[in-house]
Amino acid sequence: MKKRVLTTESGAPVADNQNSASAGVGGPLLQDQHLLEKLARFNRERIPVGAPPTPLGQWGRVVHARGGGAYGHFEVTDDVTGFTHADFLSTAGRRTEVFLRFSTVADCLGGADAVRDPRGFAVRFYTAEGNYDLVGNSTPVFFVKDPIKFPDFVHSQKRDPLTGRQEPDTVGDFWAYPPEATHQVARLTGDRGIPASYRHTNGYGSRTCQWTNAEGAAFFVKYHFRTNQGMGGLGAGQAAELAGRDPDSHQTDLLQAIERGVNPSWTLHVQIMPAAEAADHRFNPFDLTKVWPHRDYPLQRVGRPVLDRSPDSVFAEVEQAAFSPGSFVPGIGPSPGTMLQGRPSAYADAHRCRLGVNHTLPAVNAPKARTARNHGRDGLMAANPRGLHAKNYEPDSYGGPVETGRPPTAPLAVTGHTGTHEAALHAKDDDFHQAGEPYRLMSEEERRRLVANIAGGLSRGSRDDVIERNLAHFHAAGPEYGRPVEAAVRALRED
């Protein structure tokens, strides 16, 4: 009798159910209690939305609370089998069902769409080997480079606990400390900081992933979803008018476009770095605050996602959608990047807190091609007994699902001692050169708008020391960048 395969909750096959992954043989496993405590507490800092504070309440997302989404398909257009043995990427012309959720990051569920904020861009591929979740943003970089700083970052950008509003001094104070935030600040305050719609923005995997081919060769990969509708952004005045007239503008646009048959699409490209090149690259390729120059690793086309069906229920499908950067499929896995390493457990924990232990059972989260086979049982809102008479342990002698014994990706090399460490510096590592590059590539009109946006935000703060620390970062990104920003801030402060 053919043995059934043991799977994760997302339907991906389990290679080894006897040994936990560790940093080398006998190496450490989940020992950073401070990191785990910060992330777990962060996930529980909201009360249920629209229900009493009971276990049956629908807990709100701490970030990415406001969003919209749609279903569609992803079609492979180019051969990438030399880089990955992922089944859904194996054949040109192959189609895989997808669900794509867009979101704002900092604002609450009742906020407006047309605001200056990064956009979440989360894609779920319902593959034959389980769900693959590609969780990204509308920008290729982020504000911080270590997951232990993520709760601090979000706290600084959310509504102040005393005043109940976003405070310029708090936002600016955090930005003034981690110098690596300067790169993302430039992208957030530029012309793309307020997208015209969900359809008119790019998406990026942001974090670096690992692909493994059939021969076991490993490659590090960055994802780029380029919109086929053309990039479009809103000026501050346009955005304020639109947010007041239609707070749901982006959701309205997406819904109406699909109703008209104008199905939005993107072209997926990847940058591919042979794994052996990572250690000696001139900067840390796993640093989430940096991009890989295209001249080093050109974009290679992979395929095309198209959205053609709106959800039947926003609550059941958009709000209950639960993505995780840890939902990989064979041929695709994590890189050693610290942000990616810290996020899978945090995302999954957030979903168990927000939706319950059975968060993978709703249709939007369940794998399509196979039933998840594991030994999870019971729990709040259990809807699938997963075999009333099956044993819920492994191994067993009753024909239960078994591990595959086939590693899904190539192993990551580890060296050194346990402890907290700053990332090893590469020859060209710094936090400011790339932060200044977008400015140097802009037209004069684009620079003028960027400077006005930065100065408008900084000048609203009341603390001179916070403003001066931020100005120092822009000067470090380039004197041609820092001088006009400082002049604009001083002019506004004198008015």
Side-chain angles (χ1 to χ4, degrees):
M1 183 176 69
K2 183 178 180 181
K3 292 183 177 180
R4 294 179 297 163
V5 173
L6 184 69
T7 77
T8 63
E9 296 278 349
S10 63
V14 173
D16 189 341
N17 194 50
Q18 319 309 318
N19 304 286
S20 300
S22 62
V25 177
L29 168 71
L30 296 178
Q31 71 175 33
D32 193 332
Q33 175 61 19
H34 180 49
L35 169 66
L36 297 176
E37 185 177 79
K38 282 186 75 171
L39 296 179
R41 193 192 191 291
F42 176 77
N43 288 335
R44 291 160 176 79
E45 290 181 347
R46 294 294 179 272
I47 63 173
V49 175
T54 70
L56 292 176
Q58 168 71 38
W59 293 69
R61 286 178 166 91
V62 181
V63 287
H64 298 281
R66 179 176 180 81
Y71 293 94
H73 66 267
F74 174 79
E75 182 174 354
V76 178
T77 56
D78 293 74
D79 182 11
V80 291
T81 55
F83 306 105
T84 178
H85 64 83
D87 180 69
F88 79 102
L89 297 176
S90 63
T91 309
R94 182 164 184 172
R95 288 190 173 188
T96 299
E97 183 181 356
V98 297
F99 179 74
L100 204 163
R101 185 178 189 270
F102 308 90
S103 58
T104 51
V105 175
D107 211 352
C108 60
L109 186 61
D113 285 339
V115 294
R116 189 171 298 281
D117 201 5
R119 295 300 185 274
F121 193 98
V123 188
R124 169 165 292 151
F125 300 84
Y126 297 99
T127 86
E129 297 179 297
N131 291 347
Y132 173 41
D133 290 351
L134 185 52
V135 184
N137 285 314
S138 60
T139 56
V141 294
F142 197 60
F143 295 91
V144 293
K145 61 177 71 174
D146 193 290
I148 205 166
K149 299 307 300 174
F150 185 78
D152 300 307
F153 158 67
V154 174
H155 287 163
S156 74
Q157 308 301 298
K158 299 288 279 188
R159 296 173 185 266
D160 185 271
L162 176 63
T163 66
R165 65 185 186 185
Q166 190 182 57
E167 293 292 346
D169 279 337
T170 305
V171 172
D173 189 42
F174 182 84
W175 285 358
Y177 278 102
E180 68 267 23
T182 311
H183 193 177
Q184 174 73 322
V185 170
R187 292 179 180 271
L188 177 62
T189 49
D191 285 354
R192 298 183 181 182
I194 312 177
S197 76
Y198 292 141
R199 297 183 298 126
H200 294 89
T201 186
N202 289 345
Y204 301 89
S206 303
R207 309 170 188 92
T208 302
C209 288
Q210 179 183 260
W211 280 6
T212 305
N213 68 14
E215 289 72 43
F219 304 86
F220 294 121
V221 174
K222 281 191 176 287
Y223 294 86
H224 301 249
F225 291 86
R226 292 193 158 188
T227 177
N228 293 323
Q229 289 69 238
M231 291 292 293
L234 299 172
Q238 291 175 296
E241 189 275 331
L242 180 58
R245 176 165 47 84
D246 181 7
D248 306 306
S249 57
H250 288 24
Q251 176 62 19
T252 300
D253 174 84
L254 179 64
L255 183 68
Q256 292 180 349
I258 293 174
E259 286 177 344
R260 297 194 310 270
V262 183
N263 298 326
S265 68
W266 289 257
T267 300
L268 172 60
H269 297 82
V270 293
Q271 290 177 282
I272 300 175
M273 174 189 293
E277 296 181 11
D280 296 323
H281 193 64
R282 65 182 183 278
F283 60 83
N284 182 358
F286 310 116
D287 183 346
L288 186 53
T289 68
K290 293 183 172 62
V291 297
W292 295 359
H294 292 181
R295 64 179 178 275
D296 295 344
Y297 300 100
L299 294 179
Q300 301 189 41
R301 193 176 64 175
V302 180
R304 186 170 181 260
V306 179
L307 302 182
D308 55 17
R309 178 168 68 88
S310 296
D312 294 322
S313 167
V314 172
F315 176 79
E317 297 166 273
V318 177
E319 295 311 309
Q320 290 198 134
F323 295 85
S324 173
S327 293
F328 293 111
V329 293
I332 303 176
S335 74
T338 52
M339 283 298 287
L340 180 52
Q341 287 290 323
R343 303 310 287 152
S345 61
Y347 271 67
D349 179 62
H351 303 324
R352 286 188 287 270
C353 171
R354 187 172 69 88
L355 300 171
V357 70
N358 288 304
H359 65 273
T360 56
L361 297 185
V364 69
N365 297 326
K368 304 288 188 186
R370 60 152 61 114
T371 300
R373 300 189 188 103
N374 51 57
H375 304 113
R377 294 291 186 273
D378 307 330
L380 191 68
M381 305 300 288
N384 182 355
R386 297 182 179 174
L388 290 173
H389 305 290
K391 304 302 179 184
N392 63 338
Y393 57 86
E394 189 280 337
D396 69 70
S397 58
Y398 292 85
V402 297
E403 64 196 24
T404 67
R406 297 188 297 273
T409 58
L412 300 173
V414 295
T415 59
H417 301 279
T418 60
T420 58
H421 308 280
E422 291 188 7
L425 286 177
H426 292 230
K428 298 290 186 181
D429 265 338
D430 77 82
D431 293 315
F432 296 111
H433 177 76
Q434 282 202 9
E437 281 297 275
Y439 182 85
R440 289 184 279 272
L441 295 173
M442 290 177 182
S443 67
E444 285 301 320
E445 189 61 23
E446 288 172 324
R447 291 179 183 178
R448 184 190 64 77
R449 290 192 293 267
L450 175 65
V451 168
N453 290 336
I454 294 172
L458 280 181
S459 64
R460 285 197 295 268
S462 61
R463 291 180 50 186
D464 290 339
D465 61 322
V466 170
I467 293 172
E468 294 302 324
R469 286 200 306 271
N470 275 279
L471 289 176
H473 289 339
F474 293 112
H475 280 292
E480 74 284 358
Y481 188 4
R483 281 194 297 267
V485 171
E486 180 173 358
V489 169
R490 304 239 184 268
L492 289 171
R493 296 279 286 177
E494 291 169 1
D495 283 348

